[in-house]
Amino acid sequence: MTVLALAIGSSGFAASRIADDVDTEDIRRIPIPEAGAWGECQELLLEVASGGEVTDLGIASAGPVDMAAGVIAPPDIPEWRTGFGIVEAARKLFPKAAVRLALDGVCLAMAERTFGATGAVMDSLAIDVSDRIAGGVTVGGFALVGRTGNAGHVGHVLVPGFDERCACGGRGCLEAVAGGLAVVRWAREQGWSGTSVPELLDAARVGEDIPAAALGRAGTALGRAFASVAALLDLDLVVLGGSLAEAGPALWKPLGEAVATHARLSFLPGLRVVPSRLGDAGTIMGAGVLALAGAAAG
């Protein structure tokens, strides 16, 4: 039995062969190609499968997704933006495999529940803030999926006090303020000369004003969004991962201040925001949980 996990993100594909313990030490990653995305993706899957007969495949994808149809439309893969039938394509590649698809944030929530910081609580938010924002909500111990499979799109929660245009076409979305691409863009508009999130984090650590200010406003936006989501769903724990979570006090201090300012209802003072310990493997680990859950059920 060969079980695979595939994660489709904003910057690339990741795949891994999954054992019972969802060991992801051998994750293979490739950047998103300029063309022929499925061709590159299937080569990656075949390489990871190593000739084994694939019986189960779990796919975590950036949204929007249509779980019922098995279609994804990630914004960072131009040829898939209008919809790509990833489940049908994967079944053709592995005819004997059960293929299961979920939003990246849903898989992230499953991974945090199984291996990370939310295993001891019933209700939580798991969020990854990297180039873009992925989020998943757990309520009553189960990851929320939603009507179409898109529950947990916290990156498109509206944040008071901000009006930046978002890639989705709206304005004031959390991702348009606190996503890594947006943070770098804002810093460059203020005169900073860097071009990437790692550069911005390094510049903030050595005290450069503009990168620090960019992270500060991102932290404020995140804290406001977390307080809103916690009030809506009665949560007491948020787990924050992704590249921006490594920013240190420049992000975490204003984030904490915003949570303290806005999480004021009687059931919210205990709201905690903690760093994820899953690193950059959370989403694919969740895809592995998805695959193994189906294998166990089968």
Side-chain angles (χ1 to χ4, degrees):
M1 182 177 76
T2 299
V3 179
L4 301 183
L6 171 68
I8 300 168
S10 61
S11 59
F13 303 135
S16 178
R17 194 165 176 152
I18 301 297
D20 291 339
D21 58 355
V22 196
D23 181 0
T24 56
E25 292 182 358
D26 297 323
I27 296 173
R28 286 276 294 111
R29 302 178 188 274
I30 61 171
I32 293 173
E34 294 183 3
W38 175 241
E40 295 287 335
C41 187
Q42 69 177 352
E43 285 186 19
L44 173 66
L45 287 169
L46 290 169
E47 177 186 341
V48 172
S50 301
E53 182 176 275
V54 177
T55 57
D56 295 270
L57 170 63
I59 302 173
S61 177
V65 303
D66 183 333
M67 282 187 67
V71 172
I72 62 175
D76 294 298
I77 305 179
E79 61 193 289
W80 291 359
R81 283 178 189 160
T82 58
F84 174 66
I86 185 80
V87 170
E88 180 182 0
R91 285 173 177 160
K92 289 179 179 178
L93 181 63
F94 301 122
K96 295 185 178 181
V99 182
R100 302 170 187 87
L101 167 69
L103 186 72
D104 53 2
V106 171
C107 288
L108 182 64
M110 293 169 65
E112 289 289 353
R113 175 79 177 161
T114 306
F115 307 105
T118 69
V121 302
M122 298 298 287
D123 309 290
S124 60
L125 168 65
I127 181 168
D128 181 290
V129 183
S130 296
D131 284 352
R132 298 195 183 275
I133 294 178
V137 176
T138 299
V139 173
F142 295 93
L144 291 185
V145 174
R147 176 178 56 87
T148 62
N150 288 287
H153 259 90
V154 67
H156 298 281
V157 168
L158 301 183
V159 185
F162 298 95
D163 193 45
E164 279 86 345
R165 181 170 294 281
C166 182
C168 74
R171 303 188 73 93
C173 296
L174 178 63
E175 185 172 280
V177 182
L181 296 175
V183 172
V184 169
R185 181 171 58 249
W186 184 87
R188 288 181 57 80
E189 289 171 352
Q190 311 310 307
W192 182 62
S193 60
T195 59
S196 69
V197 169
E199 286 180 86
L200 186 134
L201 297 184
D202 288 342
R205 290 187 186 106
V206 298
E208 290 190 29
D209 291 340
I210 292 175
L215 291 171
R217 68 197 304 273
T220 296
L222 288 166
R224 291 177 182 175
F226 295 166
S228 296
V229 173
L232 178 66
L233 297 175
D234 194 8
L235 308 179
D236 67 352
L237 179 63
V238 177
V239 181
L240 174 60
S243 56
L244 257 70
E246 302 173 3
L251 179 102
W252 284 87
K253 185 173 184 291
L255 189 161
E257 291 172 347
V259 168
T261 297
H262 297 286
R264 307 292 292 182
L265 290 167
S266 60
F267 58 92
L268 291 179
L271 177 60
R272 296 169 292 145
V273 184
V274 302
S276 173
R277 55 177 182 259
L278 300 184
D280 62 355
T283 302
I284 195 168
M285 291 175 75
V289 173
L290 185 68
L292 287 175

